[in-house]
Amino acid sequence: MEAVQLPASWSVDQILDDLDQHGFSIIDNAYDLTYVEQLIAECTDNLARFRDAAIQNGVVSNIRSDHILWLTEDLKISNQHVQTLHALGQELNRAFFLGIKDVEAHFAYYNAGEFYALHRDNPQGKNGRMISAVYYLHDQWQDDWGGELHLQDKNDQWHTLQPKPNRIAIFQSDLLHEVVKAKHQRLSITAWLRSDASLI
Ligand code: OGA
Ligand code: MN
């Protein structure tokens, strides 16, 4: 496959520095608006295919109430984002020797009242998830709509991050975080940069 470049607007030095100092980094205005529109369309056209994230192998958990759709290869637009994250993974490998080999991702929507309680994506290093990257793709978000990403950084400081459209929140997968109850429909792509082969 042809090597994918990171968008020119992304400051790799800043991302590496933030991750090194704080364990997380924020990219705003991540993509050009033509691509953003295509991404929103691909997500909203497929909403009927999403399933309850709380149900896994028939077991229901009460930690989350969002709905997800794993990104399979037929979802061409969102796969370009996944390719971009592969390129980011290579930069992270060069800087931090994380051994990232794969990226897995799903769309998610939270309807009003839905949430994801405090958790780590990779508790005690039990899986290959090294870095989480959450891209927000609703077309607007207001500060009083809830739905914030509440994240404890690597120095134990808490941050309240707004799910602003066209923003990517990148963080170490072992950090504690939650999605506060949203008051409006909240759309995202959650991706994990993994040091082992993806399960999807
Ligand atoms: C997750 C998650 C954060 C967000 O999907 O594991 O923590 O802001 N998402 O959507
Ligand atoms: Mn998470």
Side-chain angles (χ1 to χ4, degrees):
M1 191 189 305
E2 210 180 298
V4 173
Q5 305 268 317
L6 290 175
S9 61
W10 295 22
S11 167
V12 174
D13 287 348
Q14 183 73 53
I15 295 167
L16 297 178
D17 199 49
D18 289 344
L19 282 171
D20 187 39
Q21 302 280 323
H22 307 288
F24 78 101
S25 183
I26 300 293
I27 305 172
D28 278 319
N29 305 310
Y31 292 119
D32 69 68
L33 296 183
T34 314
Y35 179 67
V36 173
E37 272 175 30
Q38 293 174 346
L39 207 46
I40 293 174
E42 187 172 81
C43 178
T44 53
D45 287 350
N46 285 284
L47 286 182
R49 294 170 59 189
F50 285 49
R51 62 166 180 84
D52 283 354
I55 304 174
Q56 285 209 50
N57 306 320
V59 180
V60 184
S61 102
N62 58 6
I63 175 181
R64 65 193 295 186
S65 48
D66 59 319
H67 310 264
I68 62 170
L69 177 66
W70 286 100
L71 297 189
T72 44
E73 280 181 7
D74 58 306
L75 297 164
K76 301 284 181 219
I77 308 290
S78 47
N79 266 285
Q80 293 175 38
H81 169 58
V82 169
Q83 292 312 317
T84 302
L85 293 177
H86 270 283
L88 178 65
Q90 292 186 2
E91 297 288 349
L92 300 182
N93 283 348
R94 268 195 282 278
F96 304 128
F97 308 100
L98 293 183
I100 291 162
K101 292 192 189 65
D102 209 350
V103 177
E104 63 180 346
H106 62 59
F107 281 123
Y109 73 80
Y110 293 71
N111 286 326
E114 297 179 347
F115 64 92
Y116 195 156
L118 275 181
H119 67 282
R120 299 174 206 271
D121 295 342
N122 186 0
Q124 286 114 33
K126 78 172 164 56
N127 61 48
R129 292 173 171 173
M130 306 303 290
I131 297 286
S132 306
V134 188
Y135 176 79
Y136 301 108
L137 63 133
H138 30 257
D139 57 17
Q140 59 158 329
W141 199 263
Q142 291 174 16
D143 288 356
D144 59 352
W145 284 5
E148 297 94 347
L149 170 61
H150 195 203
L151 172 81
Q152 187 180 41
D153 74 14
K154 66 188 272 193
N155 309 307
D156 298 339
Q157 300 289 312
W158 282 94
H159 301 265
T160 300
L161 305 167
Q162 292 289 336
K164 291 203 172 130
N166 208 14
R167 165 176 274 186
I168 307 180
I170 299 173
F171 51 96
Q172 288 176 205
S173 297
D174 59 348
L175 295 177
L176 194 57
H177 60 284
E178 68 183 326
V179 178
V180 177
K181 218 181 253 187
K183 296 184 185 157
H184 288 259
Q185 192 181 62
R186 177 190 193 272
L187 303 176
S188 58
I189 298 174
T190 302
W192 292 278
L193 282 57
R194 303 185 63 113
S195 60
D196 56 0
S198 148
L199 304 176
I200 52 169

